[in-house]
Structures are given as structure tokens and as C-alpha cells.
Amino acid sequence: MSDARTVRTGRLTLQPVTWRDMEDMVRLKADGGAFGQMLGGVCTRQQAEQEMADDIAFWACHKVGIFTIRENGQFVGMTGIHDRPDGRGFGLRFALYPWASGRGIAREAANAALNFTHDAGIRRVIAVAKESNLASRSILKGIGMRECETFTRNGQTMIVYESIRASSRPDVFSKSRRQI
């Protein structure tokens, strides 16, 4: 099934998560190799179900959110935007099964999700990676995100990346000031 929010790249299809994706997402979020480094870590089925409800509601509210990633129709992971629970803003996340890693899928999918989000009017997107997570940091840099701050969580240095895209809409505030 496809809708206007479906994103296609050279080899991937990204679609907004739906309840039909629940079993795929439960398996992915239970896989330590795929989700072990994510905020919150590996999930139980109940946690994955709650996150699915939150992700679907986020799409309804913000017109952006979490996508499934499929390569040749096969589910390989997820990417997209969520509202970070630490209050830092809209955060880009991505996770792939370990068997799908190492072929540029995460970079391709994360880049597509980031562009979709900016195109939807979201000006600033962040991402957070452990200082020791060189693979994720390489992906974030590779899609044009820049380091903007660090913080410590559970004894680990975390690096915050950001992507800021100026709005393509006319600056309403500037227009109204000129008219005054």
C-alpha cells in the first residue's frame, strides 16, 4: 500500500508505520543488535506497542514520523522522526537489522527521512549518538548533520547533531513588519 507519504529512493521504500507493521517492529525492537544502542534500548512487545501508538499519533499531529524501511519488499529496519523524551526536540532515529547493515541502507534511508521532514516544514531536526558509536556518527555526518553539543547520559558522552533548513516559505514576520 502506498500513500503520498511514501518515500522511494534508488533501492528502498519508506512508509509511515501502521498497525500492519506491528510484528516487524516488535521483532526489530527486540533485536539487541538492531536496537541495543537506541534511546530506551531493546523493547518488550508491550513497549513496542506503546511506541507504535505514539508513532501513529505523531504522524497524525505533525505530518512526519517513523517510517518502515523495505528493500525489495523485505523489512530491514526503521527510520524517521520522533519527539525526543528528553525535551531536545524532534529527533532523527534509525535502526537496521545487523544482517542489513554495511551496505549504506541506513544512510540512504535516514537521508530520505530527514529530507522528507524538512520538506514538510520542520526547520530543525536533531539526532543523538554515543561518542563511541562511530557507525551512527558517520551516517549523521554523511547526511549533512553537524555536531552542536554534548552531554553525559549514564556515564556515556553523547553527541547531539542538528540539521537546520531555512523555510522555503516567505518570512511572514518580515512582511508584516515592513507593512507597519
Side-chain angles (χ1 to χ4, degrees):
M1 186 167 140
S2 181
D3 68 23
R5 302 170 302 168
T6 296
V7 177
R8 286 184 171 68
T9 68
R11 62 183 164 163
L12 306 175
T13 302
L14 280 61
Q15 293 181 298
V17 291
T18 69
W19 287 110
R20 289 183 300 277
D21 301 309
M22 191 69 235
E23 295 308 314
D24 286 332
M25 294 297 281
V26 165
R27 283 189 293 277
L28 179 72
K29 291 181 176 191
D31 187 303
F35 239 72
Q37 298 224 34
M38 299 293 280
L39 181 62
V42 172
C43 295
T44 64
R45 179 178 193 88
Q46 183 178 9
Q47 289 168 320
E49 288 174 354
Q50 181 59 56
E51 287 184 6
M52 178 67 78
D54 293 344
D55 291 342
I56 291 170
F58 192 81
W59 268 107
C61 183
H62 300 286
K63 310 299 182 219
V64 296
I66 298 296
F67 293 96
T68 59
I69 306 168
R70 287 190 170 75
E71 180 184 36
N72 299 319
Q74 181 178 20
F75 179 82
V76 296
M78 55 76 69
T79 189
I81 305 300
H82 73 130
D83 195 7
R84 287 188 53 87
D86 58 12
R88 286 187 161 77
F90 287 179
L92 175 67
R93 49 188 348 212
F94 51 88
L96 295 179
Y97 281 114
W99 53 261
S101 297
R103 296 184 289 123
I105 292 173
R107 181 178 305 228
E108 187 174 330
N111 190 54
L114 180 62
N115 286 327
F116 179 93
T117 301
H118 282 313
D119 290 347
I122 307 298
R123 183 176 172 272
R124 181 176 186 259
V125 176
I126 66 153
V128 178
K130 289 180 184 174
E131 184 178 45
S132 61
N133 188 343
L134 299 180
S136 289
R137 292 180 58 206
S138 174
I139 290 165
L140 296 172
K141 289 177 189 175
I143 64 173
M145 297 188 83
R146 299 181 195 280
E147 292 182 30
C148 64
E149 70 177 278
T150 61
F151 66 96
T152 302
R153 182 177 67 213
N154 300 327
Q156 294 278 334
T157 300
M158 307 299 290
I159 301 175
V160 180
Y161 291 81
E162 70 179 354
S163 175
I164 298 176
R165 184 185 294 174
S167 174
S168 59
R169 298 180 311 167
D171 186 339
V172 176
F173 180 74
S174 294
K175 281 186 177 180
S176 65
R177 287 190 73 179
R178 282 192 297 258
Q179 293 171 353
I180 295 177

